[in-house]
Amino acid sequence: MNYIAARVTLLAMVISMVACKPKPAQVTTDQQDSTTTTTTVKDTIVKASKTPEYKQDQMTFVAYDDDGDYAQLFAKKGGDLYNFINEGEDRSLLRGDQIQIKWKRDTITIAGDGESPEPADVIVSVRKIADGAVSKFRKRYDKPVKYTWAPKEGYSQYYLDKVYKLVEYYLANTQSELIRRAIGQKEELTYSMESADKDGKKYTMIGVAVPGTQGSNIVQWLYIDKESHELYEYDMGEDKLVRFDK
């Protein structure tokens, strides 16, 4: 093979090798659309996780609790008790009132716990839709219930108000014929307050009295747990406390 023939042969081999070199992969229009769609869905998921989840339901109001870092509202649905963060100013609901409540799932920080976020149900709106037993009792009895306590007890007005509402709740739901008759006739109901120990626990003992021929007579003893604020009716025959929850 002469020199010119060798050069021609070498050039043909180079052209053949270039022609066989794989080309870069091309993204088709369908593939490009698929990639864009995947990114869009992912972004939507991220944004959705930051959107509050709203719920609403009808429940029975139980109590407010303004003692902690966050004001709370307690309500019942069937046999279940729910608590909600409730930073609104309204405190007009009475135990047993039927309410329509709307809330969202959010996060709060608890002081003294590293301020780490904690999930919580936060009230968006709440409105009363029907009177409960206490609201009906106030309309029927239509006057305040008088009470006394020993000055040494040092009760705050906040605590006195809390006890008053618990006593109202008892009066509105009691099955005592003497008390029910006194309410119906709008007689002067009174109660006394004092500290008491029973079965190793501390209580506020309440003596509910109705008018009698010799003055007011205590017809029922109640006990309020100083820690949980649960209300108990004293069963004198059995010498035991029975939780009062109607």
Side-chain angles (χ1 to χ4, degrees):
M1 181 181 296
N2 59 30
Y3 175 75
I4 294 176
R7 291 292 301 272
V8 171
T9 301
L10 179 60
L11 180 60
M13 290 176 63
V14 171
I15 293 173
S16 176
M17 291 176 63
V18 171
C20 293
K21 184 178 180 181
K23 297 181 180 179
Q26 298 294 318
V27 179
T28 65
T29 302
D30 290 342
Q31 288 174 321
Q32 288 176 337
D33 290 344
S34 176
T35 303
T36 304
T37 302
T38 302
T39 303
T40 303
V41 170
K42 183 177 180 181
D43 289 344
T44 302
I45 293 172
V46 171
K47 291 177 182 178
S49 67
K50 296 179 181 179
T51 303
E53 179 184 358
Y54 292 95
K55 295 182 179 180
Q56 59 181 345
D57 205 346
Q58 292 185 12
M59 296 186 180
T60 301
F61 173 75
V62 175
Y64 298 107
D65 184 358
D66 299 330
D67 293 339
D69 293 333
Y70 290 90
Q72 297 183 74
L73 181 152
F74 290 85
K76 288 197 307 184
K77 176 78 173 181
D80 298 322
L81 182 66
Y82 298 84
N83 70 297
F84 303 91
I85 302 301
N86 177 47
E87 295 298 327
E89 297 296 327
D90 182 30
R91 293 294 183 273
S92 63
L93 294 172
L94 299 174
R95 189 164 181 171
D97 285 345
Q98 299 303 300
I99 58 176
Q100 179 75 29
I101 186 168
K102 182 178 180 181
W103 70 94
K104 64 181 178 179
R105 193 64 172 169
D106 212 332
T107 57
I108 60 173
T109 55
I110 306 299
D113 192 27
E115 296 191 351
S116 58
E118 295 287 341
D121 292 323
V122 179
I123 287 179
V124 175
S125 64
V126 58
R127 66 182 178 88
K128 177 173 153 181
I129 57 178
D131 284 342
V134 177
S135 291
K136 292 176 181 178
F137 164 76
R138 284 192 178 186
K139 292 177 180 178
R140 184 170 68 252
Y141 190 61
D142 195 28
K143 58 181 178 180
V145 180
K146 295 182 179 180
Y147 57 91
T148 59
W149 73 97
K152 67 177 182 179
E153 297 292 354
Y155 298 130
S156 67
Q157 189 60 51
Y158 176 77
Y159 186 70
L160 291 173
D161 291 343
K162 180 172 286 190
V163 170
Y164 186 90
K165 289 177 181 177
L166 285 170
V167 173
E168 272 191 318
Y169 170 68
Y170 173 77
L171 296 175
N173 293 280
T174 182
Q175 296 303 308
S176 167
E177 289 299 328
L178 290 173
I179 296 175
R180 287 164 67 93
R181 185 177 63 189
I183 293 171
Q185 296 176 355
K186 295 188 177 181
E187 296 178 342
E188 198 71 52
L189 290 169
T190 60
Y191 66 89
S192 60
M193 301 171 55
E194 60 184 288
S195 295
D197 293 336
K198 185 166 181 58
D199 302 327
K201 295 188 70 175
K202 295 186 179 298
Y203 296 89
T204 297
M205 186 171 67
I206 309 294
V208 180
V210 299
T213 56
Q214 303 298 321
S216 295
N217 299 315
I218 293 177
V219 295
Q220 182 63 59
W221 291 102
L222 306 174
Y223 284 73
I224 300 173
D225 189 313
K226 286 193 173 182
E227 291 186 1
S228 67
H229 305 302
E230 292 289 349
L231 177 65
Y232 295 87
E233 195 173 26
Y234 177 59
D235 185 336
M236 187 175 295
E238 298 291 333
D239 186 28
K240 67 178 183 180
L241 301 182
V242 180
R243 184 177 174 184
F244 192 82
D245 187 10
K246 301 299 182 182

